[in-house]
Amino acid sequence: MPEIAYVNGQFLPLDRAVIHVEDRGFQFADSVYEVIRTYGGRPFAMDEHLARLFRSLEAIELKPAFTADAMKAIVVEGIQRAGFAESVAYLQVTRGRASRHRGFPADTNPTVVLTVRELVGPATGAEEAGISVITLPDNRWGRCDIKSVALLPNVLAYAAARKAGAHDAIFVEADGSVTEATAGNVFIFTAGTLRTPPKGPKILPGVTREKILQAARESGIACREEAITKAELLDAEEIFISSTTNETLPVVSVDGKRIGSAKPGEVTKQVREAFLRAFVRKK
Amino acid sequence: MPEIAYVNGQFLPLDRAVIHVEDRGFQFADSVYEVIRTYGGRPFAMDEHLARLFRSLEAIELKPAFTADAMKAIVVEGIQRAGFAESVAYLQVTRGRASRHRGFPADTNPTVVLTVRELVGPATGAEEAGISVITLPDNRWGRCDIKSVALLPNVLAYAAARKAGAHDAIFVEADGSVTEATAGNVFIFTAGTLRTPPKGPKILPGVTREKILQAARESGIACREEAITKAELLDAEEIFISSTTNETLPVVSVDGKRIGSAKPGEVTKQVREAFLRAFVRKK
């Protein structure tokens, strides 16, 4: 079964899935998205992802011509049609096709695109070994809480990290506050407490971030949503990055400085276990 | 003759011009562009636009598989094929199609898209009456000197301006510095001097901006590339916004405050005349 796509009402092989060059997602990044994964073949946290999609749509004043339930049905059907053991579904909604002008077009239907690819685990053994990161000034726009496709800053920061021999970058604001990695929320463990920056305009309200906080609290780990300084990041006992596809990715080096024992930490493993136990394995 | 497009080696009617849904321009705003207009049917300032395109490509580390001359030939042919009296050519280059991941793909050819539409003057009489603007916090990313398609902040700022009953927005940094309008450079005339913010990471080096400075200087108007505060903007005798398609668009109101006599200013008209005389009419 090949990778599959859905474009504006029609399922088709991924290879044949196209959009018009004057789609506003292509010309203006006027578009938001979600990435949904499966566990045991079933989509995970679908309601949370779709709720966030609708929040993103509202934030960019894009009135969808569909309901969350209709979107859910498309994602489920796409995953079934693809038939992989585990899938990653990528769902993108744009303001549609219009003659190029930055103003909202008057009579345009949103474009809805879904792609379904096979989910493959990290090939590099990153989960076992942990990754190294560099810090970079956060030069992204002011509304990173909107899951938009305006991702060029993330692309360039990730490339800079790879060029520096690291696996990813963590953004730091001018005042020294840690925000996010290039595709995930940042957690540190210090002095008996798990911390992650509080929600705000520079923080995507991660679905996995929320589940991890809940699972960690339920398993008795003290958690705080609280600003983290770069100095605290460098001095952390443990660090991990949360995301849909990587769950909890341990960070063992920041800007060349070893974190903890330079191996994935015990609390990170506990948190991961708690997350899997609470939300994945029980199903 | 219909609008025309070019996609990766092929000219075709605009309606049939498509790109793959996994194009990085669509999924990551990993893409830069130029807008080139004609005067008397001939493309204006083509060399400057292509030089800037190549600077943008270099800034995002996209190694083009083509020369500036090859690009130029495509734009010229597109304009000829469309055959409009006056045209707007939109040229966009992306990092190409790749399975979705924020990392630069290893073996991907850049996508090149051109669209050619008829250039129509401002229908609203904006040139004669002047426009009203509001100021908004500049929440764009830190590299607005790269002409990228990560334009969602501009789209939303423009929409906010329209909702507020204005025609456009001018961005202001947290320190009070004026940067740009949502699609053009800002000029003010105060105390005998024409001023525009100096080049920097938040300022697109506008082709029209440069030509206007040159034409104004040659016609004896004192010019300075110098930071402009919001207070100076509000107190300016005249304001205009420069861009390829609007040339010099007079601003007669900022945040509801009248600028000058609430009509397009005399210096703005002089500058416009000097620009047209120096670069357009002489040809």
Side-chain angles (χ1 to χ4, degrees):
Chain A
M1 176 66 75
E3 291 95 0
I4 207 155
Y6 167 99
V7 183
N8 289 335
Q10 197 181 1
F11 281 98
L12 68 180
L14 181 57
D15 255 351
R16 286 175 32 214
V18 294
I19 50 128
H20 194 262
V21 297
E22 289 195 322
D23 193 282
R24 292 181 61 93
F26 187 64
Q27 295 191 323
F28 289 106
D30 191 4
S31 178
V32 296
Y33 74 103
E34 287 292 326
V35 177
I36 300 163
R37 67 166 289 165
T38 62
Y39 285 104
R42 282 173 302 200
F44 179 67
M46 179 89 105
D47 290 338
E48 290 86 338
H49 282 288
L50 287 173
R52 186 172 62 186
L53 179 70
F54 276 71
R55 277 202 306 276
S56 293
L57 289 168
E58 190 180 357
I60 69 166
E61 298 176 53
L62 202 172
K63 287 188 184 60
F66 47 79
T67 62
D69 279 348
M71 279 297 97
K72 202 187 291 193
I74 291 165
V75 174
V76 168
E77 184 174 348
I79 288 168
Q80 283 171 349
R81 282 175 179 251
F84 298 120
E86 300 289 6
S87 299
V88 183
Y90 172 81
L91 181 62
Q92 180 174 347
V93 180
T94 87
R95 210 179 301 274
R97 174 187 167 184
S99 175
R100 187 180 183 279
H101 185 278
R102 65 198 180 287
F104 291 169
D107 303 306
T108 300
N109 285 320
T111 298
V112 178
V113 171
L114 173 79
T115 65
V116 181
R117 283 187 170 275
E118 187 162 21
L119 175 65
V120 283
T124 52
E127 178 58 46
E128 289 69 38
I131 65 164
S132 59
V133 304
I134 59 170
T135 59
L136 286 176
D138 194 344
N139 69 350
R140 300 171 304 156
W141 74 309
R143 291 298 307 276
C144 298
D145 57 318
I146 302 172
K147 200 166 173 70
S148 89
V149 301
L151 293 169
L152 181 57
N154 305 59
V155 165
L156 297 182
Y158 182 81
R162 303 297 295 202
K163 194 181 281 186
H167 292 80
D168 203 352
I170 288 179
F171 291 113
V172 178
E173 296 251 60
D175 71 358
S177 312
V178 168
T179 54
E180 300 180 327
T182 66
N185 294 109
V186 175
F187 285 78
I188 68 171
F189 182 74
T190 301
T193 302
L194 188 65
R195 287 165 57 189
T196 191
K199 288 180 195 168
K202 298 290 276 195
I203 303 290
L204 183 80
V207 169
T208 306
R209 171 188 180 279
E210 204 64 32
K211 301 268 185 217
I212 279 170
L213 284 171
Q214 189 184 333
R217 281 176 177 138
E218 282 169 7
S219 74
I221 298 170
C223 295
R224 283 214 304 267
E225 295 176 68
E226 187 179 64
I228 296 168
T229 66
K230 180 173 166 181
E232 289 172 327
L233 183 75
L234 285 159
D235 282 342
E237 295 164 37
E238 301 184 24
I239 303 173
F240 65 86
I241 296 168
S242 72
S243 68
T244 289
T245 46
N246 286 322
E247 300 158 338
T248 56
L249 190 59
V251 174
V252 296
S253 155
V254 177
D255 291 338
K257 180 181 179 297
R258 197 182 67 184
I259 300 301
S261 60
K263 287 182 184 156
E266 287 308 313
V267 177
T268 300
K269 288 178 195 165
Q270 278 175 42
V271 168
R272 180 187 178 77
E273 272 306 305
F275 166 77
L276 293 172
R277 201 165 53 232
F279 299 109
V280 179
R281 295 210 186 103
K282 72 169 183 184
K283 295 193 172 171
Chain B
M1 176 66 73
E3 290 95 358
I4 206 154
Y6 167 99
V7 182
N8 290 333
Q10 197 181 1
F11 282 98
L12 69 180
L14 180 57
D15 254 352
R16 286 175 32 214
V18 294
I19 50 127
H20 194 261
V21 297
E22 288 194 326
D23 192 282
R24 293 180 63 93
F26 187 63
Q27 295 191 324
F28 290 107
D30 192 4
S31 178
V32 296
Y33 74 103
E34 287 292 327
V35 176
I36 300 163
R37 66 166 290 163
T38 62
Y39 284 105
R42 281 173 301 201
F44 179 67
M46 181 88 107
D47 289 339
E48 290 87 337
H49 282 288
L50 287 173
R52 186 171 63 185
L53 178 70
F54 276 71
R55 278 203 304 277
S56 293
L57 289 168
E58 190 180 359
I60 69 167
E61 297 176 53
L62 202 171
K63 288 187 183 60
F66 46 78
T67 63
D69 279 348
M71 280 296 97
K72 201 187 291 192
I74 291 165
V75 175
V76 167
E77 183 174 349
I79 288 168
Q80 283 172 349
R81 282 176 179 250
F84 298 120
E86 300 289 5
S87 299
V88 183
Y90 172 80
L91 181 62
Q92 180 173 349
V93 180
T94 87
R95 208 179 303 274
R97 175 187 166 184
S99 176
R100 188 181 183 279
H101 186 279
R102 64 198 180 289
F104 291 169
D107 303 307
T108 300
N109 285 320
T111 298
V112 177
V113 171
L114 173 79
T115 65
V116 181
R117 283 186 171 275
E118 187 163 19
L119 175 66
V120 283
T124 53
E127 178 59 46
E128 289 69 37
I131 64 163
S132 60
V133 305
I134 59 170
T135 59
L136 287 176
D138 194 343
N139 69 349
R140 300 172 304 157
W141 74 309
R143 290 298 308 274
C144 298
D145 57 319
I146 301 172
K147 200 165 173 71
S148 89
V149 301
L151 292 170
L152 181 56
N154 305 58
V155 165
L156 296 183
Y158 182 81
R162 303 297 296 201
K163 195 182 280 185
H167 291 81
D168 202 352
I170 288 179
F171 291 114
V172 178
E173 296 252 61
D175 71 358
S177 313
V178 168
T179 54
E180 300 180 328
T182 66
N185 294 109
V186 174
F187 285 77
I188 68 171
F189 182 74
T190 302
T193 302
L194 188 65
R195 287 165 57 189
T196 192
K199 287 180 196 168
K202 297 291 276 196
I203 303 290
L204 184 79
V207 170
T208 306
R209 172 189 179 279
E210 205 64 32
K211 300 267 185 217
I212 280 170
L213 285 171
Q214 189 184 332
R217 281 176 177 138
E218 282 170 7
S219 73
I221 298 170
C223 296
R224 284 213 304 269
E225 294 176 68
E226 186 178 65
I228 298 169
T229 66
K230 181 174 165 181
E232 289 172 327
L233 182 75
L234 285 159
D235 283 341
E237 296 164 35
E238 300 184 26
I239 304 173
F240 65 85
I241 297 167
S242 71
S243 69
T244 288
T245 45
N246 287 322
E247 301 158 337
T248 55
L249 189 58
V251 174
V252 296
S253 154
V254 178
D255 291 339
K257 180 182 179 298
R258 198 182 67 184
I259 300 300
S261 61
K263 287 182 185 155
E266 286 308 313
V267 176
T268 300
K269 288 178 197 166
Q270 279 175 42
V271 168
R272 180 188 180 74
E273 271 306 305
F275 166 77
L276 293 173
R277 201 167 50 233
F279 299 109
V280 179
R281 294 209 187 104
K282 73 170 182 183
K283 293 191 174 178

